[in-house]
């Protein structure tokens, strides 16, 4: 918005904003927001960015699937005794709905899924594979909380879950610096 007349004028005015000032700013915000999806779609179509999706309505998938997965990284975490009813089916819906909305907005299927709050578990990564995602992302702290032995810099390369036979069986898992 730098250089736009409305914000510059409002900054210079520095107070005592009128209803007309507020309306002009809201119009500008609406125009900018209204142009975001077309702008991102054009960038993706030109191959300049890769867009990812987050499960619809932002659920924390691992906990929706099985609250006890929290103990994969926090062994002593206090948990409720009851399981969440229909969690995996709900996760399937949130992922399918996110992909549907993404396709509608961007005209393509997302390759990556960045789960809400970076929430991943082995079961979640498997679910992402079943939904056709080739990669997922989370934070370095999630990885380090999950490793038996912390190796500095372990988050700097992609990880994959493997089958008992040693085959790669998951989307690539990327972990950003926190």
């Amino acid at each position: 918005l730098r250089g736009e007349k409305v914000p510059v004028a409002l900054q210079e005015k520095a107070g005592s904003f009128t209803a007309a000032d507020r309306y002009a700013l809201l119009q500008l915000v609406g125009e900018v927001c209204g142009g975001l999806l077309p702008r991102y779609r054009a960038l993706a179509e030109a191959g300049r960015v890769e867009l990812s999706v987050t499960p619809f309505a932002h659920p924390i998938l691992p906990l929706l699937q099985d609250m006890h997965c929290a103990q994969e990284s926090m062994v002593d975490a206090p948990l409720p005794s009851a399981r969440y009813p229909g969690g995996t089916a709900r996760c399937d819906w949130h992922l399918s709905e996110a992909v549907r909305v993404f396709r509608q907005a961007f005209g393509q299927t997302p390759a990556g899924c960045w789960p809400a709050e970076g929430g991943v578990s082995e079961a979640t990564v498997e679910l992402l594979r079943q939904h056709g995602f080739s990669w997922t992302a989370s934070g370095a702290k999630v990885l380090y909380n999950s490793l038996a032995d912390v190796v500095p810099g372990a988050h700097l390369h992609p990880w994959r879950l493997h089958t008992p036979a040693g085959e790669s069986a998951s989307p690539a898992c990327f972990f950003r610096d926190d």
Side-chain angles (χ1 to χ4, degrees):
L1 295 175
R2 290 190 178 113
E4 289 283 339
K5 291 179 183 178
V6 172
V8 169
L10 293 176
Q11 284 177 331
E12 290 172 358
K13 190 173 182 179
S16 301
F17 303 116
T18 65
D21 292 336
R22 293 183 195 114
Y23 182 77
L25 183 60
L26 286 174
Q27 272 192 304
L28 178 60
V29 168
E31 290 169 16
V32 169
C33 289
L36 284 177
L37 292 182
R39 193 171 318 135
Y40 277 104
R41 183 176 182 152
L43 289 169
E45 288 172 349
R48 296 188 58 203
V49 298
E50 180 176 349
L51 304 174
S52 64
V53 72
T54 296
F56 194 80
H58 213 260
I60 299 175
L61 295 178
L63 297 178
L64 195 59
Q65 284 178 287
D66 178 6
M67 284 189 226
H68 291 86
C69 77
Q71 293 176 328
E72 288 178 16
S73 62
M74 297 168 57
V75 178
D76 297 327
L79 299 171
S81 58
R83 301 219 182 249
Y84 196 90
T88 299
R90 290 171 189 245
C91 290
D92 284 330
W93 182 87
H94 284 281
L95 289 168
S96 297
E97 188 66 6
V99 169
R100 183 191 68 75
V101 170
F102 187 97
R103 283 184 186 139
Q104 181 180 347
F106 301 112
Q108 58 184 278
T109 300
C113 179
W114 194 302
E117 308 307 326
V120 291
S121 66
E122 290 185 21
T124 298
V125 172
E126 170 57 20
L127 188 64
L128 295 174
R129 183 196 65 75
Q130 291 171 12
H131 280 264
F133 292 105
S134 60
W135 64 269
T136 188
S138 187
K141 285 182 184 176
V142 172
L143 175 64
Y144 291 126
N145 283 339
S146 302
L147 295 175
D149 297 315
V150 174
V151 178
H155 70 287
L156 299 176
H157 62 84
W159 287 71
R160 290 187 188 270
L161 297 178
H162 290 77
T163 66
E167 302 142 354
S168 175
S170 77
C173 301
F174 296 95
F175 298 91
R176 71 167 182 208
D177 288 329
D178 287 318

